[in-house]
Amino acid sequence: MRSLFPVTDLTTTAASPDPSGLLTDREWSLDELADAYAYPADLPAGTPWLRANMVSTLDGAAQHDGRSQPISCAADMRIFGTLRALADVVIAGAETVRLEGYRPARAREAFAARRAAAGQGPAPAVAVVTGSLDLDFSLPLFTEPLVPTLVVTGSGAPADRIAAARKAGAEVVIAGEGTRVDPARAVRELADRGLRRQLTEGGPRLLGQFVAAGALDELCLTLSPMLTAGDAQRIAGGPGVAVPERFALASLLEEDGFLFGRYRR
């Protein structure tokens, strides 16, 4: 990743050093990225922190041809991997799991010491939010994870699908009534299992539910310098909120025209 630099105000230029004195025209190490994206260290015991990681084009598209990869870049994927490596659990909706071909999170040697020091296992768990449990339990996400994949659903989910999930080795988490998952309850249920550092990668409908529930603490947004037109989804979908909630800009990085922003509640 080249020319990645913090922006402290709109007058900062690519030739300026960042506040730590690091040169702006070099690739940041994974340790530096991990420090820049660290979860808050002052959270009260048991309190979860839910961050989202999404990418959007200049005209608001979160996908192209149903996937986010075409509007991403190498630096975005480097940050994507760092955010995963910092998390206890990666939360995704069932549709995103199917479209993006989700696999289990892998252990990465570059983050092994950091995760051990934080009391984390070698890799984050993956939690799939689904009311119907319409999932292929023969996929590697369920058959080959380092830690069991979680399936987050409602109390009225089909009993045969719950049994199939458990037979595949998944842990079923009940976080809602009927087949509906309550997003705020899902956050609490995962935190109660020790999974406090939470990362959601969408899709847009799931992120919209977290936003509407007031459960989102942080948004990591990659702004891609692309235009797609069409009718692609935005990063968050579903019913709107009554009053827009304003987030504060925590940091802004840039490379090759891509902007990497962090916004916090």
Side-chain angles (χ1 to χ4, degrees):
M1 186 163 46
R2 306 299 300 178
S3 301
L4 189 62
F5 64 94
V7 176
T8 55
D9 58 56
L10 293 180
T11 64
T12 302
T13 67
S16 300
D18 70 30
S20 67
L22 298 173
L23 296 177
T24 63
D25 59 351
R26 65 174 178 82
E27 180 172 296
W28 281 24
S29 71
L30 292 177
D31 274 339
E32 288 168 332
L33 280 178
D35 287 342
Y37 283 93
Y39 280 83
D42 56 353
L43 288 178
T47 302
W49 184 269
L50 176 65
R51 70 167 30 145
N53 182 33
M54 301 293 283
V55 59
S56 171
T57 62
L58 296 176
D59 53 347
Q63 305 164 338
H64 185 65
D65 288 338
R67 300 180 66 238
S68 60
Q69 189 277 332
I71 61 173
S72 180
C73 67
D76 184 41
M77 297 308 298
R78 189 171 171 85
I79 292 174
F80 171 91
T82 299
L83 294 179
R84 277 195 160 205
L86 296 173
D88 295 327
V89 61
V90 177
I91 308 170
E95 184 69 9
T96 295
V97 167
R98 289 189 288 265
L99 289 175
E100 301 282 356
Y102 262 54
R103 298 182 63 85
R106 59 189 178 92
R108 299 182 60 185
E109 182 61 31
F111 298 98
R114 184 181 292 265
R115 289 187 65 86
Q120 297 172 297
V126 175
V128 184
V129 178
T130 172
S132 66
L133 282 79
D134 181 17
L135 299 164
D136 184 350
F137 294 115
S138 68
L139 294 176
L141 180 60
F142 300 99
T143 62
E144 300 176 9
L146 287 174
V147 291
T149 294
L150 300 103
V151 174
V152 184
T153 192
S155 59
D160 61 328
R161 299 305 297 163
I162 290 179
R166 288 175 171 154
K167 183 178 180 180
E171 178 181 349
V172 177
V173 178
I174 302 299
E177 304 302 323
T179 59
R180 180 182 177 275
V181 174
D182 180 328
R185 181 175 167 184
V187 168
R188 294 194 302 270
E189 291 287 346
L190 293 171
D192 287 346
R193 288 163 171 77
L195 305 173
R196 298 173 55 216
R197 304 173 190 89
Q198 300 176 4
L199 170 66
T200 180
E201 297 170 350
R205 183 166 54 184
L206 179 61
L207 179 55
Q209 291 171 359
F210 282 130
V211 170
L216 188 70
D217 298 297
E218 178 180 340
L219 173 64
C220 298
L221 177 64
T222 296
L223 184 61
S224 171
M226 300 182 189
L227 295 168
T228 64
D231 56 358
Q233 288 181 296
R234 298 161 48 198
I235 64 167
V241 297
V243 179
E245 182 177 7
R246 180 163 182 166
F247 276 44
L249 180 64
S251 67
L252 185 63
L253 310 175
E254 184 272 347
E255 179 178 295
D256 292 337
F258 284 81
L259 296 179
F260 307 94
R262 284 180 60 224
Y263 298 85
R264 294 176 56 170
R265 184 192 301 279

